[in-house]
């Protein structure tokens, strides 16, 4: 197995184990409904298996068929390749994420915001269609296709994946500490993302890796505590949550 995938899987299971080691978190975790467990299982399969496989065997091959002359033509260093993913792709993600919070597209992402507690299992929770619209599939595949040296770019993909798992966990230092506040100047932390998942402030902190985009475009919120109103209650059935994003509805409370 590719070493980076092994590291990602190891971190995933480590965070799950750490989350379940606490009695109160464990009690909340095992109160999940059947719908939640089914959606999380399918979403994890899509995010962990279908998206990576599609990236190479479908999207990459599509670019190869459409633009064969572009293959390997972008000659930049590993350092620039890393920044290309960590900064530029993150910027694209920020705007697509904001679009999913617009009134017309909210149904595609509302299922993700039904999580009542933060943990790595819910990091992939969505309709079965949503993950295919994020740039990690089509934009990452494009850059891997045109880059001559892919090492730095691929390393950033792996780090971004691990940061996604981390920010959906509750593993963080005291958010009131100066160290936590300093980290928040650069990176999206679990505290940032918990507020993004709150019912009262779900249209803040759209960034994935970097908090700079939220600062620049006026969507930044940092509070030195975790919110206590996580997750919208949905009244749609399982089929609608998975397959019919435009019909997903939440309860008005």
């Amino acid at each position: 197995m590719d070493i980076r995938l092994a590291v990602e899987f190891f971190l995933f299971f480590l965070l799950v184990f750490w989350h379940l080691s606490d009695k109160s978190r464990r009690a909340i975790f095992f109160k999940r409904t059947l719908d939640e467990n089914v959606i999380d299982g399918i979403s994890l399969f899509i995010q962990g298996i279908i998206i990576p496989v599609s990236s190479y065997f479908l999207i990459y091959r599509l670019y190869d068929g459409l633009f064969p002359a572009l293959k390997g033509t972008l000659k930049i260093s590993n350092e620039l390749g890393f920044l290309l993913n960590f900064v530029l792709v993150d910027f694209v993600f920020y705007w697509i994420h904001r679009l999913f919070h617009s009134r017309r597209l909210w149904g595609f992402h509302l299922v993700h915001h039904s999580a009542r507690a933060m943990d790595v299992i819910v990091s992939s929770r969505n309709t079965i269609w949503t993950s295919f619209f994020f740039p990690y599939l089509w934009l990452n595949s494009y850059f891997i296709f045109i880059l001559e040296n892919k090492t730095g770019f691929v390393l950033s993909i792996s780090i971004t994946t691990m940061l996604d798992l981390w920010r959906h966990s509750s593993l963080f230092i005291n958010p009131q500490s100066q160290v936590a506040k300093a980290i928040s100047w650069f990176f999206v932390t679990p505290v940032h993302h918990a507020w993004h998942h709150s019912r009262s402030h779900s249209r803040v902190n759209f960034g994935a890796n970097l908090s700079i985009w939220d600062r620049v475009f006026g969507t930044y919120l940092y509070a030195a505590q975790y919110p206590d109103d996580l997750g919208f209650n949905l009244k749609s059935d399982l089929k609608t949550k998975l397959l019919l994003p435009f019909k997903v509805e939440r309860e008005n409370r």
Side-chain angles (χ1 to χ4, degrees):
M1 178 184 289
D2 188 299
I3 184 63
R4 70 182 184 88
L5 293 179
V7 171
E8 290 167 15
F9 278 116
F10 174 77
L11 179 64
F12 174 81
F13 288 112
L14 182 65
L15 286 171
V16 170
F17 177 80
W18 173 83
H19 186 83
L20 295 179
S21 66
D22 180 82
K23 184 177 180 180
S24 60
R25 292 196 300 262
R26 189 164 61 247
I28 295 172
F29 183 87
F30 286 111
K31 286 182 179 178
R32 303 155 95 91
T33 66
L34 177 61
D35 278 16
E36 289 177 310
N37 286 322
V38 171
I39 292 170
D40 288 343
I42 292 174
S43 298
L44 283 169
F45 180 74
I46 291 173
Q47 190 84 359
I49 304 296
I50 300 299
I51 293 296
V53 169
S54 298
S55 179
Y56 179 74
F57 290 102
L58 180 60
I59 307 301
Y60 184 92
R61 299 299 177 87
L62 177 64
Y63 290 140
D64 198 16
L66 294 175
F67 316 110
L70 292 178
K71 188 174 184 178
T73 56
L74 183 57
K75 298 175 173 58
I76 58 176
S77 67
N78 278 327
E79 292 78 12
L80 285 177
F82 182 93
L83 293 175
L84 187 64
N85 178 265
F86 203 78
V87 178
L88 180 61
V89 175
D90 195 61
F91 178 72
V92 175
F93 173 89
Y94 170 86
W95 285 107
I96 292 177
H97 193 184
R98 281 192 67 169
L99 282 174
F100 275 125
H101 280 257
S102 65
R103 184 174 60 84
R104 290 183 179 276
L105 298 180
W106 181 221
F108 276 90
H109 197 50
L110 179 55
V111 173
H112 183 67
H113 282 262
S114 65
R116 295 168 294 174
M118 300 299 290
D119 63 66
V120 295
I121 299 294
V122 302
S123 61
S124 300
R125 181 183 294 187
N126 258 312
T127 75
I128 66 170
W129 316 112
T130 307
S131 295
F132 294 96
F133 293 98
F134 281 116
Y136 301 134
L137 174 62
W138 48 271
L139 189 56
N140 279 354
S141 299
Y142 177 73
F143 281 124
I144 290 174
F145 174 70
I146 66 172
L147 280 168
E148 180 187 46
N149 185 357
K150 312 176 194 307
T151 304
F153 190 87
V154 171
L155 175 62
S156 180
I157 291 176
S158 186
I159 291 175
T160 296
T161 300
M162 290 186 280
L163 287 175
D164 181 50
L165 295 175
W166 173 62
R167 72 174 177 268
H168 280 92
S169 76
S170 54
L171 180 59
F172 195 48
I173 57 178
N174 181 356
Q176 297 181 5
S177 70
Q178 293 303 312
V179 174
K181 293 176 182 178
I183 294 172
S184 74
W185 271 96
F186 302 98
F187 302 106
V188 177
T189 70
V191 181
H192 286 122
H193 205 64
W195 279 101
H196 175 73
H197 274 261
S198 69
R199 292 187 295 277
S200 56
H201 292 85
S202 63
R203 285 175 169 77
V204 299
N205 301 341
F206 294 101
N209 297 332
L210 302 171
S211 62
I212 185 174
W213 314 126
D214 288 294
R215 292 179 183 277
V216 170
F217 297 107
T219 55
Y220 182 79
L221 172 68
Y222 184 81
Q225 61 184 20
Y226 285 88
D228 57 6
D229 61 342
L230 289 174
F232 292 101
N233 295 315
L234 305 185
K235 58 183 180 181
S236 302
D237 60 18
L238 178 61
K239 177 183 175 181
T240 301
K241 294 173 188 173
L242 281 172
L243 300 172
L244 305 170
F246 290 114
K247 294 185 177 182
V248 175
E249 295 181 286
R250 65 182 176 89
E251 296 178 2
N252 294 318
R253 60 183 178 87

